Amino acid sequence: MAVRILHFSTRHCSISVPSPRFPTRLSHRSIPFKRVSSLSKRFRVVLAMDGAKADAPKETPLGLDNMTEEEYAYQSKLLLEFNSISNIDNAWIFNSDSALPAQGMFCISQPNLLANKRKKFILSSTISKGSNSSVEFHWAPFPIEMSGASKVVPSPSGSRLLVVRNPENEGSSHLEIWNSSHLEKEFHIPQSVHGSVYTDGWFEGISWNLDETCIAYVAEEPSPAKPAFNDQGYKKGGLTDKDSGSWKGQGAWEENWGETYSGKRQPALFVISIKSGEVQSVKGIDKSLSVGQVVWAPSAQYLVFVGWSFETRKLGMKYCYNRPCALYAVRAPDHDSNANETEIQSTEDFQALNLTRTINSAFSPRFSPDGKFLVFLSAKSSVDSGAHSATNSLHRIDWPSDVKQYKSVKVYDVIPVVMCAEDGCFPGLYCSTVLSNPWLSDGCTMILPSVWCSCQVLLSVNVSSGEVSRITPADSDFSWSLLALDGNNIISVLSSPVDVPEISYGTIIEKKNNAKAWSWSNVPSPIFRCSDKVRSLLSSLQFSVMKIPVKVASDNLTKGARKPIEAIFVSSKTKKNDACDPLIAILHGGPHAVSVSSFSKSLAFLSSLAYSLLIVNYRGSIGFGEEALQSLPGKAGSQDVEDVITAVDHVISLGLASPSKIAVLGGSHGGFLTTHLIGQAPEKFVAAAVRNPVCNLSLMVGITDIPDWCYVESYGIAGIGKYTEAPSEEDLTLFYSKSPISHLSKVKTPTLFLFGAQDLRVPISNGLQD
């Protein structure tokens, strides 16, 4: 039986597939098909077959019977109910240090599947604290939709709010300044000054200065002048509005940082004066640098930002922490001086200084409240190894008061890279974002979120001593995300695969001998409300985090690579007729990513349809130490495949799954794994589904925005030195042998392929080869 591909584009329906990306909008192209018997009453796989086995069902006419229509209606309604559950994207707390009740502002979002967009809302709350560490949140009766808002950023005092509204095309960017009662200022910034403000979460940087007179931010460079041509040849006088959007006015091709950044111009640094509305570009930054993540230095005369450089070409940036970057300090524009005074100052005063020459990765800079420390994250392990994500480290610079000492600052290690932790101990730092204000009142303790094996936890980090403590319960398999600090208290969200998220409030409890512990209390909230149907279905489910011994095939494996892997197992609390529910193995992408034990609407939906889920964190996943992670590059398509098969066999041996009712699902590298599995273990899975899978590395290397990924995952760390724009015959032969397509002739499993157009990382042509 050969599988044909169902080709999906972007026109009719929307299907959500577990992925680090947004849901892909899909539609189908009609091809002859037969209906294959389902794994359970509610599981249908549609595929094309060249041949049929003796026990295959008879061919049925194209169309839907009444039972199928009812099934589709039930499932689509249930999917909408799951997707209607809101998310909290950001939160801010004001008046934490005053005697008055604190005020909370929560930015929440809700998906609109048909439009493939998200609606954004603001919901406010008053936070009252009791004498016995109790807390009450008094919520506003309704949220307010933030229509057209790209980003909201409160000022340090909480008295003002910046609202960024980016244009949908080539119009002006709008910056609004609100106070507690009305719109105070509104600025329209034309494309001749700069393009859209970056709000992507990576290059993004919006920072108020302490006296709230200026805002530094990252935006696209102004559109360069482009030559125009018509039937008479070169056209003097520039472009008309009509020409600017046509081929006549496109000009030279501009390189970008790959997926998400296609069509966007180089990020540059700007400062706006709130009083005058004057926007100035920051001088002294080399044109080869892409800038982001700007913050004001304590002196308020200087800015600190992250700069990314490149040698031969810009490779994909999104999810790729292996791109070298550094922290720079540069003088901020002086809005109070006139042009002549500015010209008198020396060029050296304005030239950006590299603060982190001794380390090849530095990002997420944060100053301590007293301005004595500058703390930042580093992905040095990623840059050194070529892995797109690896174990992070945390570093500190003692910030000098004298500007002349900026050139000689020293970088100190706060949290080094953990290679292999003992069982139950801190496995290393896996943190990609830091709160704008992550500090407790002592001025040297930060609160950070981090992956700890298959859970996300919260850590307290003393940047002076390097002491790291897990402050969320060690006996809980739930995952926690960090929202905001309320003085010395923490507002977070906890959830599990079978528990809808809820807000949890953390307070420090003093114990004997000056010891401290954290106490957590759940806060009722309207944000995560769900239907009675959803809550009833989830109440019938359970989950556990399994430790599964790996097969050690080589004596050369490090200690970390020999440790057990983990898998999150989700199942019904009760068995029906002693039969196991159908099992779906869920495989994350990356490969250096992780599936944590948090609530996923798409996976909870699958669980509610009577499927057990086995969510596998194979070796190479983040959260388990650097040795385990670095054991995968060079062995992609073999070690990770073996780990998934081991995990599936483990739950079968425990009587939790039936060998005849197992499916597998994954996207991107998860699709790479899925297609490998149905080729290397053709009898193992009765159905599979993939989203934009990596099927042929020898094809992908020439068309992806991350060709270096193909080298590193195929060769290991040696791939960094072998990477070239022109792969050799030897390279292409190895890539093909590492690819799922090399096992295509053995595939028997009915497989659903889901493709979204405009994927620069795993272009659609790669999956179409299978």
Side-chain angles (χ1 to χ4, degrees):
M1 180 181 71
V3 179
R4 290 181 187 161
I5 298 168
L6 293 181
H7 176 198
F8 293 84
S9 59
T10 56
R11 291 173 57 192
H12 294 107
C13 63
S14 177
I15 298 177
S16 179
V17 178
S19 155
R21 301 190 178 111
F22 290 110
T24 307
R25 297 196 57 194
L26 308 159
S27 70
H28 73 274
R29 174 178 53 146
S30 296
I31 59 176
F33 71 96
K34 296 182 180 180
R35 183 175 298 139
V36 178
S37 56
S38 60
L39 295 181
S40 72
K41 181 179 179 181
R42 296 194 181 101
F43 189 68
R44 297 265 189 251
V45 177
V46 180
L47 70 158
M49 299 183 295
D50 288 335
K53 294 183 179 179
D55 57 350
K58 294 182 179 180
E59 186 171 356
T60 58
L62 183 66
L64 301 176
D65 55 36
N66 289 337
M67 181 178 294
T68 304
E69 282 194 323
E70 290 177 6
E71 193 174 304
Y72 283 4
Y74 171 83
Q75 292 185 18
S76 61
K77 183 176 183 296
L78 184 60
L79 179 62
L80 289 173
E81 290 186 32
F82 272 99
N83 273 282
S84 67
I85 301 171
S86 298
N87 297 327
I88 300 180
D89 299 327
N90 298 99
W92 301 270
I93 307 301
F94 311 109
N95 301 330
S96 291
D97 301 325
S98 70
L100 299 173
Q103 300 293 319
M105 186 172 77
F106 296 79
C107 183
I108 61 181
S109 63
Q110 187 177 29
N112 182 340
L113 290 182
L114 294 180
N116 199 25
K117 293 182 179 180
R118 302 187 71 86
K119 287 183 176 291
K120 296 181 180 180
F121 307 87
I122 293 290
L123 184 63
S124 299
S125 177
T126 301
I127 304 172
S128 302
K129 301 162 195 169
S131 56
N132 58 347
S133 298
S134 62
V135 63
E136 283 189 65
F137 282 53
H138 306 279
W139 298 95
F142 301 104
I144 305 299
E145 184 175 4
M146 297 293 290
S147 179
S150 304
K151 193 73 178 178
V152 295
V153 183
S155 66
S157 68
S159 62
R160 286 169 159 180
L161 179 71
L162 167 68
V163 178
V164 177
R165 300 185 190 275
N166 280 326
E168 292 191 0
N169 34 50
E170 292 297 310
S172 298
S173 298
H174 294 187
L175 302 184
E176 301 170 356
I177 307 297
W178 292 79
N179 60 31
S180 59
S181 61
H182 63 276
L183 177 63
E184 188 176 303
K185 299 268 188 175
E186 185 174 10
F187 308 111
H188 298 259
I189 304 168
Q191 291 281 328
S192 58
V193 176
H194 65 64
S196 293
V197 177
Y198 271 86
T199 59
D200 61 301
W202 190 240
F203 289 117
E204 173 188 323
I206 301 175
S207 180
W208 292 77
N209 64 353
L210 286 178
D211 62 8
E212 303 183 2
T213 58
C214 293
I215 299 173
Y217 59 95
V218 178
E220 294 180 82
E221 287 183 337
S223 182
K226 296 178 179 179
F229 299 87
N230 56 25
D231 55 356
Q232 301 298 316
Y234 177 70
K235 181 181 178 181
K236 294 183 178 180
L239 304 173
T240 66
D241 291 339
K242 181 180 178 181
D243 290 334
S244 62
S246 73
W247 65 270
K248 300 176 186 177
Q250 290 307 299
W253 174 76
E254 296 179 27
E255 196 172 23
N256 57 62
W257 288 104
E259 187 171 273
T260 298
Y261 304 109
S262 177
K264 293 188 75 67
R265 299 192 295 275
Q266 174 89 336
L269 193 51
F270 299 86
V271 174
I272 185 171
S273 166
I274 303 301
K275 181 179 179 181
S276 67
E278 179 188 16
V279 176
Q280 293 189 46
S281 62
V282 178
K283 308 299 181 184
I285 300 175
D286 193 283
K287 291 294 184 182
S288 66
L289 286 180
S290 294
V291 307
Q293 304 181 15
V294 62
V295 295
W296 288 86
S299 68
Q301 294 178 328
Y302 279 79
L303 299 166
V304 172
F305 65 92
V306 182
W308 289 265
S309 58
F310 63 97
E311 294 181 1
T312 56
R313 62 171 281 197
K314 293 178 179 178
L315 299 175
M317 180 69 74
K318 190 173 185 179
Y319 308 123
C320 293
Y321 296 89
N322 54 327
R323 310 297 175 222
C325 56
L327 297 187
Y328 294 82
V330 68
R331 188 175 178 86
D334 187 353
H335 287 276
D336 294 328
S337 65
N338 58 44
N340 291 331
E341 290 174 337
T342 302
E343 290 171 3
I344 293 172
Q345 299 183 57
S346 68
T347 304
E348 186 178 352
D349 288 339
F350 287 90
Q351 198 63 36
L353 299 174
N354 188 334
L355 302 171
T356 54
R357 296 179 184 275
T358 59
I359 193 167
N360 56 18
S361 173
F363 58 96
S364 293
R366 297 293 184 271
F367 280 98
S368 60
D370 58 10
K372 293 182 178 180
F373 300 139
L374 174 61
V375 182
F376 62 91
L377 293 171
S378 174
K380 182 178 183 297
S381 292
S382 294
V383 178
D384 290 345
S385 67
H388 68 89
S389 183
T391 312
N392 288 337
S393 51
L394 187 71
H395 304 270
R396 185 191 83 235
I397 291 173
D398 294 340
W399 193 250
S401 57
D402 187 351
V403 174
K404 295 179 181 179
Q405 296 177 358
Y406 286 3
K407 294 181 180 180
S408 57
V409 293
K410 184 178 179 180
V411 175
Y412 296 92
D413 294 344
V414 177
I415 302 178
V417 171
V418 176
M419 299 304 294
C420 178
E422 297 301 321
D423 292 347
C425 296
F426 174 56
L429 184 63
Y430 301 93
C431 170
S432 58
T433 58
V434 181
L435 291 181
S436 58
N437 179 19
W439 303 96
L440 297 184
S441 61
D442 63 4
C444 62
T445 300
M446 300 178 77
I447 305 298
L448 298 174
S450 184
V451 176
W452 187 305
C453 298
S454 295
C455 302
Q456 180 163 283
V457 304
L458 303 184
L459 305 173
S460 72
V461 180
N462 187 304
V463 299
S464 297
S465 66
E467 181 184 358
V468 180
S469 301
R470 177 175 174 171
I471 60 175
T472 45
D475 58 354
S476 170
D477 285 333
F478 281 57
S479 279
W480 303 66
S481 60
L482 181 61
L483 288 181
L485 300 187
D486 180 15
N488 278 335
N489 305 315
I490 297 174
I491 299 176
S492 64
V493 171
L494 81 158
S495 67
S496 84
V498 299
D499 293 276
V500 173
E502 55 185 330
I503 295 175
S504 186
Y505 193 85
T507 56
I508 299 176
I509 303 297
E510 300 285 347
K511 290 194 170 185
K512 295 179 180 179
N513 303 323
N514 293 323
K516 295 180 179 179
W518 285 85
S519 173
W520 298 91
S521 57
N522 294 340
V523 175
S525 158
I527 297 174
F528 301 112
R529 283 178 184 161
C530 60
S531 68
D532 292 340
K533 179 68 173 178
V534 167
R535 199 166 290 280
S536 174
L537 289 168
L538 292 176
S539 68
S540 67
L541 302 173
Q542 60 185 354
F543 85 100
S544 63
V545 178
M546 297 179 166
K547 291 189 180 295
I548 303 170
V550 299
K551 294 180 180 179
V552 179
S554 170
D555 294 333
N556 296 325
L557 288 178
T558 60
K559 180 181 177 182
R562 295 169 181 266
K563 284 181 167 287
I565 61 170
E566 288 188 355
I568 303 167
F569 184 67
V570 184
S571 64
S572 173
K573 290 178 180 177
T574 58
K575 266 190 176 183
K576 298 175 182 177
N577 303 322
D578 294 326
C580 296
D581 287 332
L583 176 74
I584 304 177
I586 307 292
L587 310 178
H588 66 72
H592 309 300
V594 69
S595 294
V596 296
S597 59
S598 59
F599 185 75
S600 162
K601 289 180 275 192
S602 54
L603 295 188
F605 168 70
L606 287 177
S607 301
S608 72
L609 298 179
Y611 295 115
S612 295
L613 304 182
L614 185 67
I615 307 167
V616 184
N617 285 319
Y618 44 85
R619 281 173 292 177
S621 303
I622 64 172
F624 297 86
E626 188 66 5
E627 286 185 353
L629 186 146
Q630 293 295 347
S631 70
L632 182 58
K635 300 174 186 174
S638 54
Q639 179 178 287
D640 44 4
V641 170
E642 184 179 85
D643 285 353
V644 174
I645 292 175
T646 298
V648 170
D649 288 343
H650 181 75
V651 292
I652 292 174
S653 69
L654 295 177
L656 300 175
S658 168
S660 63
K661 296 190 293 184
I662 299 175
V664 60
L665 182 155
S668 195
H669 184 84
F672 172 87
L673 261 178
T674 298
T675 46
H676 255 301
L677 285 161
I678 61 176
Q680 295 188 40
E683 306 292 342
K684 196 87 175 172
F685 303 95
V686 296
V690 291
R691 189 264 313 151
N692 282 30
V694 177
C695 294
N696 187 346
L697 293 172
S698 60
L699 172 64
M700 176 181 168
V701 70
I703 55 178
T704 179
D705 67 337
I706 53 168
D708 57 325
W709 180 92
C710 301
Y711 282 84
V712 170
E713 296 305 331
S714 298
Y715 283 106
I717 193 170
I720 299 178
K722 294 183 72 68
Y723 167 64
T724 171
E725 293 288 329
S728 66
E729 183 179 349
E730 175 192 1
D731 295 335
L732 295 175
T733 301
L734 178 66
F735 294 158
Y736 187 88
S737 70
K738 295 276 188 178
S739 300
I741 198 170
S742 65
H743 302 282
L744 182 61
S745 62
K746 297 178 285 184
V747 173
K748 301 178 181 179
T749 306
T751 304
L752 177 66
F753 281 71
L754 306 176
F755 295 116
Q758 307 302 320
D759 192 326
L760 301 182
R761 187 134 307 170
V762 188
I764 187 172
S765 57
N766 202 258
L768 286 172
Q769 286 231 320
D770 258 16

